[in-house]
Amino acid sequence: MTTITAAPPPPVATSPGRALLNKVPEITIWFWIIKILCTTVGESFADWIAVDLNVGLINTTVIFTIVLAAVLTWQIRLPKYNAFPYWMTVVVLSVTGTLYTDILTDKYGVNLTITTPVVAAVLAVVFGLWYRKERTLSIHSIVTVPRELFYWLAIFVTFALGTAAGDWTLELTGWTPGIAVLLPTFLIAAVIVGWKLGANAVLSFWMAYVLTRPLGANLGDWLAVDKQLGGIGVGTLGTSVVFLSAILATVIFLVVKRPDVIEDGAEAHVAAVREPARERKMLGYYGVVAALAVGTLTYANSQPHEAFSAQEEALGGAPVEQLTPQQATANFAAGDLVEFSTITQDALGLVQSGDQAGAVARIADLETAWDDAQPTLEPIDETAWTFLDSEIDDVLSAVRASSPDASAQEQALTALSTSLAG
């Protein structure tokens, strides 16, 4: 039977560097509320700046990387936990983690089937190195700078993993975000039950931490996307404003009331002493939960469906006016479209030769070049630019499909090549 006793003093820091008071908040209901709010902002705010404001994915990532460096430096230089800089760091990490995952997927065409397990492996490596050096992964032991650096690195990777896993779920199943939010909700509830029944507390914490990312991301998408896609239709700006306001209000409450502060002498706080045998049994429970999740995704993937990203593209904007190749190129100068035509022909050749990876890499060049040329080409002939842009979107969808179809790729690339040739 589990007994409750005073927890032993935190492990003596083995890392070099200045000793600190604990740099993280106590894990209360407020921690999880604000964490979910932060993850939702990470999805909606990144989309609003990169897409709605047309800043671009790369430019937005550069901006937030600089902001992250600034707020992380501020946070690390503090001697103890302070709610405002801590949660500001979490918000910026959430946005930045989303952006880096989106770069791999949208800019370089790395399939989510690859991205998700690779990022999961990176997280495992981070935890392995952290434990090897510090002999603990408990957040109640963040009392040296090296431990805090491991902590923030782990959080960054959990955001990237949660983003990839959440997006992968939408692609695998065709679920709308409103439906997809149910899976991480169920898994988090299962983790809470496991923890209550005696599962390892540190393992349970980090599992829940990862799962709150797809929960928050799907929640943000559900609020933002059009009602025709099963969303609420608030938009990315509206969603960002609502959740940033909620975060600010919650942080003000935490600063004033301090319910999440681990007071000096926190080694005396009461904690449950877990039984190793019970923890081992609960690993089997978590295995069953994971098997149920995988089985659900496998079943949903086997059913006829359209990826959610394709649903968004199909709904986006007014119908595109169809143009002949002559109409699509009539107002552009002779050399304006040569680069895009060359890349398209290269990608077509790669598809025909069976080099799918090469085709994915080459159309990433097409996407980058086209986005860079938009400020120049769109004002020349907006109708023609929109038509060509829609054909490029068709190419990107066909080549980057989770199960690429050679004939569909050839059809999309041939149509684009014909239009670009005039």
Side-chain angles (χ1 to χ4, degrees):
M1 180 181 296
T2 301
T3 58
I4 304 298
T5 65
V12 176
T14 60
S15 301
R18 59 193 174 94
L20 310 167
L21 298 175
N22 208 297
K23 295 294 296 293
V24 301
E26 183 60 277
I27 308 306
T28 66
I29 186 62
W30 296 106
F31 177 93
W32 295 112
I33 289 173
I34 197 169
K35 170 61 168 58
I36 293 171
L37 293 173
C38 290
T39 59
T40 303
V41 166
E43 185 76 11
S44 60
F45 198 49
D47 288 346
W48 178 62
I49 294 177
V51 179
D52 293 10
L53 295 185
N54 202 30
V55 175
L57 184 57
I58 297 297
N59 290 338
T60 304
T61 304
V62 171
I63 291 170
F64 272 94
T65 299
I66 295 171
V67 174
L68 175 60
V71 297
L72 193 56
T73 300
W74 179 23
Q75 163 65 25
I76 290 174
R77 288 176 63 86
L78 294 173
K80 63 180 180 178
Y81 167 71
N82 182 295
F84 186 76
Y86 176 89
W87 287 111
M88 179 182 289
T89 304
V90 174
V91 169
V92 178
L93 272 170
S94 176
V95 177
T96 310
T98 298
L99 290 167
Y100 274 92
T101 303
D102 287 346
I103 284 177
L104 289 175
T105 304
D106 299 339
K107 207 68 177 176
Y108 295 104
V110 180
N111 197 293
L112 288 166
T113 307
I114 298 173
T115 303
T116 305
V118 167
V119 178
V122 171
L123 181 60
V125 170
V126 171
F127 281 141
L129 293 174
W130 182 359
Y131 187 81
R132 181 178 180 181
K133 183 173 178 58
E134 303 296 339
R135 310 310 297 175
T136 178
L137 299 178
S138 171
I139 70 165
H140 289 109
S141 67
I142 311 301
V143 292
T144 67
V145 172
R147 288 184 179 183
E148 187 175 9
L149 291 173
F150 273 121
Y151 174 75
W152 288 116
L153 178 59
I155 287 180
F156 175 78
V157 181
T158 63
F159 278 126
L161 175 59
T163 299
D167 290 346
W168 192 27
T169 299
L170 297 179
E171 296 302 304
L172 281 173
T173 63
W175 293 340
T176 63
I179 295 174
V181 76
L182 297 177
L183 181 60
T185 300
F186 162 75
L187 292 174
I188 290 171
V191 170
I192 293 172
V193 170
W195 172 68
K196 289 287 188 180
L197 292 177
N200 183 274
V202 174
L203 173 63
S204 299
F205 169 82
W206 285 112
M207 289 173 63
Y209 202 97
V210 171
L211 289 167
T212 55
R213 181 65 184 96
L215 172 65
N218 289 332
L219 179 61
D221 282 339
W222 177 56
L223 291 171
V225 300
D226 194 278
K227 293 180 180 179
Q228 292 177 262
L229 290 171
I232 302 299
V234 176
T236 54
L237 175 59
T239 302
S240 298
V241 169
V242 169
F243 279 82
L244 283 171
S245 300
I247 290 170
L248 180 60
T250 307
V251 170
I252 291 173
F253 169 80
L254 295 178
V255 169
V256 174
K257 297 296 185 179
R258 295 166 56 88
D260 60 335
V261 174
I262 301 175
E263 299 292 352
D264 297 348
E267 64 271 14
H269 80 281
V270 175
V273 175
R274 303 284 175 167
E275 298 177 9
R278 178 73 63 85
E279 290 185 353
R280 288 192 293 270
K281 290 180 181 179
M282 295 312 298
L283 286 177
Y285 163 78
Y286 281 149
V288 171
V289 171
L292 288 173
V294 171
T296 300
L297 292 173
T298 301
Y299 174 76
N301 180 248
S302 69
Q303 303 304 301
H305 68 273
E306 184 179 26
F308 182 70
S309 59
Q311 298 176 41
E312 285 186 299
E313 290 178 6
L315 187 66
V320 176
E321 182 179 347
Q322 298 301 298
L323 304 178
T324 66
Q326 291 75 24
Q327 292 172 328
T329 58
N331 294 322
F332 296 118
D336 285 345
L337 304 177
V338 170
E339 180 182 7
F340 313 116
S341 181
T342 300
I343 297 174
T344 303
Q345 286 295 326
D346 290 347
L348 179 58
L350 291 166
V351 168
Q352 291 172 337
S353 68
D355 186 358
Q356 187 65 35
V360 170
R362 195 61 175 130
I363 64 158
D365 296 335
L366 175 65
E367 182 180 32
T368 299
W370 185 251
D371 288 345
D372 290 343
Q374 179 180 356
T376 302
L377 297 183
E378 188 174 12
I380 296 174
D381 189 335
E382 185 175 355
T383 301
W385 183 89
T386 301
F387 170 72
L388 292 172
D389 185 63
S390 69
E391 291 203 326
I392 289 175
D393 285 341
D394 291 341
V395 166
L396 296 175
S397 297
V399 178
R400 290 174 174 171
S402 56
S403 300
D405 180 83
S407 61
Q409 295 178 78
E410 288 188 32
Q411 182 179 353
L413 286 163
T414 300
L416 176 60
S417 181
T418 301
S419 297
L420 291 170

